Amino acid sequence: MKILMTGGTGFIGSALINALDEHEVTVLSRNPAKASQTLGGRINAVASLDQFDNLDGFDAVINLAGEPIINKRWSQQQKKKICHSRWDLTTQLVEKIQAGSQPPHTFISGSAVGIYGNQQDTVIDESFAVSRQVNHDDFAHHVCQRWEEIAMQAGSEKTRVCLLRTGIVLGKHGGALAKMLPPYQLGLGGPIGDGSQYTPWIHLQDMVAAIVFLLETPSADGAFNLTAPQPVTNKVFSQTLAKALRRPHVLFTPAFVLKLALGEASSLLLEGQRAIPHKLETLGFAFRFQSIDVALEDIVAA
């Protein structure tokens, strides 16, 4: 397949490219030379979508780009950056898909479980009625809902759209876990708040395999929870990580400390979703890492 990808140099994107070595991948990057160097020359790199009148030359588009949502406090300026880094690029991709007569057969576009809002211990699959049961002042929900609405406009008889409602992607050299490991390795790790909030997680290997599965499964369409079958509470996650590292687990981070440090963005850590991957499993996708203890042991041992 000829595949156009955004976010190809990121944590998930670079791992995905390794799994797509049998395909011809073009990566959209603000710095094509650096992208080619980073990705080992296995890809084509372009600086702008403006060089394409349409995307008829591609079989599929995978859209993973977006400003990190948890790295900084959510000032109004940062909120705009988070939103428009997702919405504007997705709009451009949709317009290019719509402009062609033989568009890509598949458009896979990012989202997150944050679209569900804080649902405490309610088990959530893709049938959850988002529009009726979520606080629409929730910023993460707002970002994801609009992102998905834009992406779905690419859908037609010729193009199917898959939305990746992603949980916390676990890998040793990137994402949230890479930031968590240093304090845990020093014996300073512990749950956040009271630890009762659910943590929907997925091993990086399963994340990549699931995207490839969706790419290669013509019947796959709509939103998919990219989360492991067994979500756990933050307390259980924290205990399991400390055990995998063979470190003590006696401290915790009070909620008010996070709120002081991150402001509104602390909601991503203090709230949660007990999301399960019902649609993926129904289609026949088999998770390699179903339980958090096996996943973290694998990552720590890597």
Side-chain angles (χ1 to χ4, degrees):
M1 279 187 229
K2 292 184 176 180
I3 300 169
L4 175 64
M5 186 187 301
T6 72
T9 59
F11 172 51
I12 298 169
S14 57
L16 177 59
I17 285 173
N18 288 333
L20 296 174
D21 55 357
E22 295 182 359
H23 302 279
E24 182 180 331
V25 180
T26 298
V27 171
L28 180 67
S29 172
R30 286 172 289 189
N31 191 332
K34 184 177 180 181
S36 294
Q37 182 179 23
T38 300
L39 298 170
R42 300 187 303 276
I43 52 94
N44 304 313
V46 296
S48 173
L49 290 175
D50 292 340
Q51 71 181 72
F52 304 112
D53 293 328
N54 55 59
L55 299 183
D56 285 7
F58 296 99
D59 300 301
V61 177
I62 302 175
N63 179 29
L64 303 177
E67 172 77 10
I69 197 168
I70 191 61
N71 284 15
K72 300 177 182 178
R73 291 176 68 95
W74 287 346
S75 64
Q76 288 305 309
Q77 181 179 1
Q78 183 64 11
K79 282 185 174 182
K80 288 180 180 179
K81 188 180 292 187
I82 290 168
C83 291
H84 291 289
S85 65
R86 291 161 171 76
W87 301 347
D88 295 355
L89 179 55
T90 305
T91 297
Q92 292 177 50
L93 290 169
V94 169
E95 289 174 347
K96 295 292 183 182
I97 291 171
Q98 292 175 332
S101 59
Q102 294 297 322
H105 57 67
T106 303
F107 181 41
I108 297 176
S109 191
S111 183
V113 292
I115 194 168
Y116 298 119
N118 181 25
Q119 298 302 325
Q120 300 176 344
D121 61 353
T122 301
V123 177
I124 299 169
D125 66 17
E126 297 85 353
S127 66
F128 183 81
V130 173
S131 61
R132 296 198 300 272
Q133 299 184 49
V134 176
N135 174 9
H136 289 255
D137 291 330
D138 183 305
F139 177 65
H141 162 77
H142 172 65
V143 173
C144 293
Q145 183 178 51
R146 181 60 185 147
W147 199 8
E148 291 191 3
E149 287 172 350
I150 295 168
M152 288 303 296
Q153 293 173 21
S156 69
E157 292 182 355
K158 296 180 178 179
T159 303
R160 63 188 175 93
V161 179
C162 295
L163 304 171
L164 310 177
R165 291 180 175 173
T166 307
I168 297 174
V169 183
L170 302 180
K172 193 166 189 176
H173 302 295
L177 188 59
K179 296 176 182 178
M180 295 171 64
L181 282 174
Y184 273 83
Q185 288 168 332
L186 294 172
L188 302 175
I192 296 170
D194 65 10
S196 65
Q197 67 276 28
Y198 268 82
T199 299
W201 62 274
I202 184 170
H203 193 293
L204 178 61
Q205 290 183 30
D206 280 334
M207 179 73 190
V208 167
I211 296 174
V212 174
F213 177 83
L214 293 175
L215 180 67
E216 297 176 347
T217 304
S219 61
D221 185 71
F224 291 84
N225 288 342
L226 271 287
T227 58
Q230 299 176 25
V232 293
T233 64
N234 175 260
K235 183 177 182 179
V236 170
F237 180 93
S238 179
Q239 289 172 332
T240 307
L241 179 55
K243 181 180 178 182
L245 291 166
R246 292 161 179 78
R247 294 293 187 271
H249 184 263
V250 295
L251 303 177
F252 74 101
T253 304
F256 79 87
V257 172
L258 268 185
K259 290 177 181 178
L260 285 173
L262 294 174
E264 187 182 353
S266 64
S267 63
L268 292 178
L269 301 174
L270 295 170
E271 300 175 356
Q273 302 81 23
R274 194 176 181 179
I276 59 171
H278 176 73
K279 283 180 65 177
L280 267 176
E281 292 193 306
T282 298
L283 283 176
F285 180 75
F287 283 82
R288 182 178 175 186
F289 300 95
Q290 298 205 20
S291 65
I292 192 63
D293 55 339
V294 174
L296 290 176
E297 285 285 356
D298 175 80
I299 292 168
V300 168

